[in-house]
Amino acid sequence: MNELNIVQLRKERLPKEIAAEAYSIIGHRKTQQDFAGTFAGPDRVLAVLCDGMGGLMGGERASREAAGMLLKDYETKQPSKNFADFLCREAVRMDSRVHGLKSRDGRRLDAGTTAVAVVVSKDGTAEWMSVGDSRIYLLRGDSLKQLTRDQNYRCFLEDSLRKGEITQEHYDQEIQGKMAEALTSYLGMGSIKKIGRSRQGIALKPGDQILLCSDGLYKSLSSDQIKAMLIDNQIDARVSVRRLVDMALAKAVKKQDNTTVVLIQYHGKKTEE
């Protein structure tokens, strides 16, 4: 694990209703371009995860700058409501920051990063934002639901086919190409227009788990494998994130990508004895 790419800020102790843990591996890559962080306050926790791109140090700088900006702004501005709106405004600011990054010789770095973020309050509400193809899942009981939708060429083709804008033949041809996984939205584009978000607060139930992850996880493990691992280790969030990432590394068919997860468990209100 590369401890330098995980930031866990504690303004105060986590609310007893919530547990939050993060874990990351560099995999078989030469650089770690994932970056994640959590910020805990007395009433809620913010989690953010970014997966950078841009070669050499570009992706690492992009993800670190974006996630760091969100964590700092959250601490400074201390929003108390409308968290999805706040996260979307931050995505615009993060996009501008990453777009403006420069190399040592003063040239634009031409780097980018995905981003997913969620705010979970101790009253049991969750709001989220996403850009790119990092994901947020909600586990409730034995059902795992992907809350985000990948912003890539594959999903663009699916939408176009559903709307009748392209033929099945064109879809089948394009989906087999190398560009199928190319992102259609990411931080660093400049003037970003496509941001995924929750339209209303998600009402959590005791036992619910929210998982943020980079594509290194879901490209190594199936949804059923992710679900089974979360269910089997739901007692301890710290154990759960480590076993989940270690399983991805063990299951990797090719060289394992950077893999990062942040897990938030909602325990619900505790009754006083």
Side-chain angles (χ1 to χ4, degrees), residues 6 14 28 39 49 53 56 64 80 117 159 168 187 221 232 244-245 264 271:
I6 299 289
L14 270 169
H28 299 126
F39 187 97
L49 185 153
M53 61 198 121
L56 298 178
R64 183 180 294 273
S80 59
D159 291 341
Q168 183 69 50
L187 300 181
L221 301 179
D232 288 347
L244 192 59
V245 172
I264 300 175
T271 56

Side-chain angles (χ1 to χ4, degrees), residues 32-35 50-53 58-68 98 112-114:
Q32 171 60 280
Q33 299 194 31
D34 289 357
F35 194 91
C50 295
D51 179 357
M53 61 198 121
E60 182 177 343
R61 284 188 59 192
S63 60
R64 183 180 294 273
E65 287 282 343
V98 174
T113 183
T114 69

Side-chain angles (χ1 to χ4, degrees), residues 6 40 60 105 117-118 120 123 138 151 165 186 201 225 258 266:
I6 299 289
E60 182 177 343
D105 60 5
V118 64
V120 176
D123 66 0
L138 170 64
Q151 296 170 353
E165 297 173 349
Y186 59 87
Q225 289 172 322
N258 302 154
Y266 181 67

Side-chain angles (χ1 to χ4, degrees), residues 26-132:
I26 192 171
H28 299 126
R29 296 297 180 89
K30 294 181 179 180
T31 59
Q32 171 60 280
Q33 299 194 31
D34 289 357
F35 194 91
T38 59
F39 187 97
D43 300 316
R44 62 190 62 88
V45 61
L46 161 73
V48 57
L49 185 153
C50 295
D51 179 357
M53 61 198 121
L56 298 178
M57 302 299 290
E60 182 177 343
R61 284 188 59 192
S63 60
R64 183 180 294 273
E65 287 282 343
M69 168 179 271
L70 176 56
L71 291 166
K72 182 178 180 180
D73 284 354
Y74 181 82
E75 180 179 19
T76 301
K77 298 176 182 179
Q78 298 185 11
S80 59
K81 59 182 180 179
N82 301 325
F83 297 109
D85 290 342
F86 167 77
L87 294 173
C88 288
R89 290 193 298 269
E90 285 298 301
V92 174
R93 283 174 42 78
M94 293 152 70
D95 173 61
S96 179
R97 170 72 66 87
V98 174
H99 183 70
L101 289 177
K102 295 182 179 180
S103 61
R104 293 180 178 177
D105 60 5
R107 298 181 180 181
R108 196 169 75 82
L109 196 58
D110 196 25
T113 183
T114 69
V116 285
V118 64
V119 176
V120 176
S121 301
K122 69 177 184 179
D123 66 0
T125 58
E127 299 182 52
W128 58 266
M129 172 276 294
S130 72
V131 179

Side-chain angles (χ1 to χ4, degrees), residues 24 36 40 110 125 139 155 181 200 213 228 236 263:
S24 180
D110 196 25
T125 58
L139 177 73
C155 289
E181 304 301 323
Q200 57 185 10
C213 67
D236 191 325
L263 180 64

